[in-house]
């Protein structure tokens, strides 16, 4: 029994000026040097290599570029969504702030207090002012009072928790109770349920 082994060769021509010698690689070796861009030598010792990208490398580059473009679009959409959420949260916080100030007898235009309005809300709409402050811890009550005062001083509905030295664990406990809204990690605002408790805690 006899066997015949066939070896395929790929012919090459040295690229160096003045050489131009022709020689051949085996197909297997050619596949290696053409894909990993290693240096090789012609029979006369001239160093050279295949520097151009292979089809596989070109496809990988195209896939990477597509992924980068999609990632950029996704990040842009996420940024827009987060911005819209922040705007909605801040708008809601401002609305709650104004409504509760009016409920406590404070004019939203001139900041004057009208006891008659506050008395009306207390007697006719007690759900706005009657809450159980005793169920909160001392730290929670202190944070509500601080947030209420900071909101009043800043004339803004959303406060940076770092500006008032708020402990984020306490913030999260009030967020869980629905008394504080966390607009971003460090930005917080009193909610509809939190305003009357903050009013009481601040007294």
């Amino acid at each position: 029994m006899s066997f015949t082994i066939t070896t395929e060769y790929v012919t090459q021509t040295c690229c160096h000026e003045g050489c131009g010698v022709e020689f051949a690689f085996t197909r297997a070796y050619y596949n290696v040097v053409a894909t990993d861009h290693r240096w090789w030598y012609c029979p006369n010792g001239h160093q050279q290599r295949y520097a151009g990208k292979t089809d596989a490398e070109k496809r990988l580059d195209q896939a990477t570029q597509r992924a980068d473009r999609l990632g950029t679009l996704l990040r842009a959409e996420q940024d827009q969504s987060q911005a819209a959420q922040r705007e909605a949260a801040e708008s809601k916080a401002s609305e709650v702030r104004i409504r509760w100030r009016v409920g406590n007898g404070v004019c939203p235009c001139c900041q004057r207090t009208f006891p008659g309005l506050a008395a009306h809300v207390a007697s006719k709409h007690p759900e706005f002012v009657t809450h159980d402050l005793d169920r909160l811890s001392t730290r929670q009550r202190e944070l509500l009072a601080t947030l209420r005062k900071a909101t009043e001083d800043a004339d803004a509905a959303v406060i940076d928790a770092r500006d008032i030295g708020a402990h984020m664990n306490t913030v999260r406990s009030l967020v869980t109770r629905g008394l504080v809204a966390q607009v971003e990690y460090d930005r917080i605002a009193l909610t509809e349920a939190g305003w009357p408790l903050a009013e009481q805690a601040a007294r």
Side-chain angles (χ1 to χ4, degrees):
M1 181 181 293
S2 62
F3 296 93
T4 300
I5 299 176
T6 302
T7 302
E8 182 182 359
Y9 289 90
V10 179
T11 59
Q12 306 290 315
T13 301
C14 179
C15 64
H16 280 254
E17 186 177 354
C19 182
V21 65
E22 293 186 0
F23 57 100
F25 286 156
T26 63
R27 170 63 68 178
Y29 185 69
Y30 170 81
N31 290 340
V32 171
V33 298
T35 54
D36 69 2
H37 310 296
R38 71 175 59 177
W39 291 98
W40 48 270
Y41 301 85
C42 82
N44 290 327
H46 295 124
Q47 187 183 52
Q48 50 209 294
R49 65 173 177 163
Y50 292 102
K53 292 185 177 181
T54 64
D55 290 342
E57 289 172 330
K58 291 176 182 177
R59 288 194 296 271
L60 178 60
D61 286 347
Q62 292 172 352
T64 301
Q65 291 171 3
R66 286 196 298 271
D68 289 343
R69 287 195 297 270
L70 289 174
T72 299
L73 290 174
L74 177 60
R75 286 190 294 273
E77 291 181 359
Q78 289 175 336
D79 289 343
Q80 291 178 353
S81 175
Q82 290 173 357
Q85 290 175 354
R86 286 195 301 271
E87 184 177 349
E90 290 175 1
S91 177
K92 177 63 177 176
S94 295
E95 175 190 344
V96 169
R97 178 180 186 272
I98 292 172
R99 192 157 68 85
W100 276 105
R101 283 173 61 80
V102 172
N104 283 276
V106 180
C107 173
C109 299
C110 66
Q111 313 306 320
R112 291 172 58 193
T113 300
F114 295 89
L117 178 58
H120 167 78
V121 172
S123 63
K124 301 299 182 181
H125 311 285
E127 68 277 7
F128 285 114
V129 294
T130 303
H131 293 271
D132 190 359
L133 192 65
D134 293 334
R135 297 180 64 182
L136 300 179
S137 69
T138 300
R139 179 171 290 181
Q140 289 171 329
R141 290 196 296 269
E142 288 174 350
L143 176 56
L144 285 176
T146 302
L147 183 55
R148 174 66 183 86
K149 186 177 185 304
T151 302
E152 181 70 23
D153 292 344
D155 196 28
V158 178
I159 301 296
D160 192 318
R162 295 169 297 184
D163 290 344
I164 60 175
H167 194 285
M168 292 310 297
N169 285 339
T170 306
V171 170
R172 283 189 284 272
S173 70
L174 292 175
V175 169
T176 301
R177 290 175 175 266
L179 304 178
V180 168
Q182 200 165 349
V183 179
E184 291 175 326
Y185 180 79
D186 291 318
R187 303 184 73 202
I188 57 179
L190 289 166
T191 64
E192 194 167 325
W195 264 99
L197 288 176
E199 290 279 356
Q200 294 178 46
R203 291 170 187 164

